[in-house]
Amino acid sequence: MANGGLKYQYARLSIAEKLIAINVAIFIVSGLAMALFGASEAAVMGWFQLPKEFGDFIIQPWSIITYSFFHAGFGHIFWNMIMLWFASRIFLNLFGDKRYLTVYFLGVITGGLFFLLSYNVFPALLNSNTALVGASAGVTAVLLFVCSYIPNQDVRVIFFNVKLWHVGAFFVLVDLIQIPYGGNIGGRLAHLGGALLGYVYARQLLNGNDIGAVFTNLGENMFSWFKPNKKAPMKTVYKAKSKAGNPTANYQKEAKQRQIDAILDKISKSGYESLSKAEKDFLFKAGKE
């Protein structure tokens, strides 16, 4: 029963919520392995973290993606998941699951490559003993994508409304400033790699070029476990009651969905800036529900 319940709840999650759930689950399991079984951090993460040496990376090429599912501490995963949740809500109001996963994992890969290249090129980093973990590159890619695709969209940050491009510029500047002064140089460089991918992807898409199309097609089967489970148990009685008992509500819901689909189709053809203010407000409010 419990297993069935968990499967049902997981199937109902959005693509971003599933990604967050997987990250949190891995963080908990790896932490318990170290705390209860005495496993070392190297034993738990060694084959999944991204090493800085190209020779080590060739032996474990999967680490260019798996490093993103492991985190160095609670604060590390907490802020990554908060940022991912914020950016994903906006992203998924504009695009579907496939593009979301494409941007996220291309950001992870690009951030990993920035890390590898930097630690084998820059003299100050050559003798460092380090490895890369964390979802930050993928998170930053999603964030910079939305900040670059709809830069003038207002968002609420605590008590103030700011433009999305202000948010993106802030996080990029923080990483640039902290490279010489804040430590974690590898992580900062990976962030910047993800940021660059998100920015370039969004700007190219606005020009009609989907630079991630090939990756989307190649990775569709690999990412299929993230997709909603169409065979998940359904609340049949509830749905039947809803349809029979309140047809007006069902009609309004369907009409609203058609309006959302029409707006998204307009964006895909002409870009976000082609929307009227009323259409932008409608789409933004729909994303909050």
Side-chain angles (χ1 to χ4, degrees):
M1 293 295 291
N3 190 39
L6 286 175
K7 286 182 179 179
Y8 175 72
Q9 294 301 325
Y10 180 80
R12 295 182 62 193
L13 297 177
S14 71
I15 199 75
E17 290 167 339
K18 287 179 179 179
L19 195 55
I20 291 171
I22 292 170
N23 273 277
V24 171
I26 290 175
F27 179 74
I28 293 173
V29 170
S30 61
L32 289 175
M34 288 185 281
L36 300 180
F37 297 98
S40 65
E41 184 174 317
V44 174
M45 298 186 186
W47 283 95
F48 302 102
Q49 64 188 12
L50 182 63
K52 79 177 189 70
E53 299 292 346
F54 278 111
D56 295 332
F57 168 64
I58 292 173
I59 297 174
Q60 51 186 80
W62 56 83
S63 63
I64 196 70
I65 289 178
T66 57
Y67 83 86
S68 66
F69 291 101
F70 291 81
H71 291 80
F74 178 77
H76 191 197
I77 190 173
F78 177 80
W79 289 113
N80 271 346
M81 296 303 104
I82 288 292
M83 285 180 61
L84 183 59
W85 178 80
F86 167 79
S88 298
R89 291 185 65 196
I90 303 173
F91 191 107
L92 293 172
N93 279 337
L94 301 171
F95 301 103
D97 296 353
K98 290 182 181 179
R99 180 159 289 152
Y100 175 81
L101 289 175
T102 297
V103 173
Y104 180 87
F105 282 107
L106 279 179
V108 167
I109 293 170
T110 305
L113 291 176
F114 263 55
F115 170 82
L116 274 170
L117 290 171
S118 298
Y119 275 84
N120 287 274
V121 171
F122 296 121
L125 304 178
L126 292 177
N127 296 320
S128 302
N129 182 21
T130 187
L132 182 65
V133 293
S136 303
V139 173
T140 309
V142 174
L143 177 64
L144 264 292
F145 180 96
V146 297
C147 291
S148 304
Y149 194 81
I150 46 174
N152 294 315
Q153 175 66 50
D154 288 325
V155 292
R156 191 76 169 175
V157 178
I158 308 178
F159 304 112
F160 305 98
N161 284 339
V162 298
K163 302 292 185 184
L164 267 175
W165 78 264
H166 295 154
V167 176
F170 171 78
F171 281 104
V172 170
L173 284 174
V174 167
D175 283 323
L176 286 172
I177 291 170
Q178 292 198 20
I179 287 176
Y181 303 112
N184 187 25
I185 297 176
R188 302 295 173 189
L189 292 169
H191 296 180
L192 293 173
L196 179 63
L197 181 282
Y199 172 79
V200 172
Y201 199 133
R203 301 314 297 178
Q204 285 296 307
L205 195 61
L206 286 169
N207 292 328
N209 302 318
D210 185 356
I211 63 174
V214 174
F215 183 85
T216 300
N217 294 332
L218 290 175
E220 187 172 3
N221 292 331
M222 182 172 65
F223 299 143
S224 62
W225 56 303
F226 285 103
K227 294 180 181 178
N229 184 0
K230 296 181 180 180
K231 297 182 179 180
M234 301 298 292
K235 299 291 185 179
T236 308
V237 176
Y238 171 79
K239 289 183 71 177
K241 181 178 179 181
S242 174
K243 289 182 179 179
N246 197 350
T248 301
N250 289 330
Y251 175 81
Q252 291 174 342
K253 183 177 180 181
E254 292 173 1
K256 183 176 182 180
Q257 185 59 51
R258 284 196 297 270
Q259 188 173 355
I260 292 173
D261 292 340
I263 293 174
L264 294 179
D265 185 57
K266 185 176 180 180
I267 291 174
S268 67
K269 292 179 180 178
S270 307
Y272 183 83
E273 297 304 325
S274 67
L275 300 184
S276 65
K277 185 178 185 301
E279 288 172 327
K280 291 178 181 179
D281 291 342
F282 176 83
L283 189 62
F284 191 68
K285 289 177 181 178
K288 291 183 175 182
E289 296 177 358

